[in-house]
Amino acid sequence: QVDLVESGGGSVQAGGSLRLSCAASGRIFSSHGMGWFRQAPGKEREFVASLRWSGNTYYADDVKGRFTISKNSAENTVYLQMNSLKPEDTAVYYCARTRRGYSKMAAEYDSWGQGTQVTVSS
């Protein structure tokens, strides 16, 4: 179990950028993965991006080319840089840890942050 704390959410206009941070307390092993998910009102939680702690990254099709997931291993922090934001990106964004290295499935993540709100206006 690790504790995860997200920050960096806010309100921006379409076309703007935000960078989310996820600080992890506890050891993240190279076999683990970190993911970002989002949940809009009335919708299910959906995969956004993930990163194997060893380095590989994966993205949902609708954020490829706009979002970048990265990490600072020394600070146990994962980032989600979001550019060219669209109103449909509006959601609560969560970071999470999986022991599987990589997964698009929320059920395979065992530690979750509290979420941070991202609102994109047109």
Side-chain angles (χ1 to χ4, degrees), residues 17-100:
S17 299
L18 283 173
R19 188 175 83 153
L20 306 184
S21 299
C22 173
S25 62
R27 182 92 180 264
I28 307 292
F29 292 90
S30 60
S31 59
H32 294 172
M34 297 294 293
W36 286 97
F37 290 76
R38 65 187 180 188
Q39 189 165 19
K43 295 188 176 181
E44 293 189 353
R45 193 168 297 190
E46 64 175 7
F47 170 77
V48 175
S50 70
L51 172 150
R52 290 184 186 266
W53 207 245
S54 57
N56 293 36
T57 58
Y58 308 87
Y59 297 93
D61 288 343
D62 59 351
V63 305
K64 278 181 187 175
R66 300 190 298 123
F67 291 10
T68 303
I69 188 171
S70 62
K71 67 179 174 74
N72 182 322
S73 298
E75 297 186 357
N76 247 21
T77 301
V78 177
Y79 303 98
L80 186 68
Q81 177 67 44
M82 305 186 295
N83 298 328
S84 301
L85 282 161
K86 305 175 181 179
E88 51 264 43
D89 295 318
T90 295
V92 177
Y93 283 71
Y94 299 88
C95 75
R97 191 280 306 267
T98 177
R99 297 175 189 269
R100 289 180 171 265

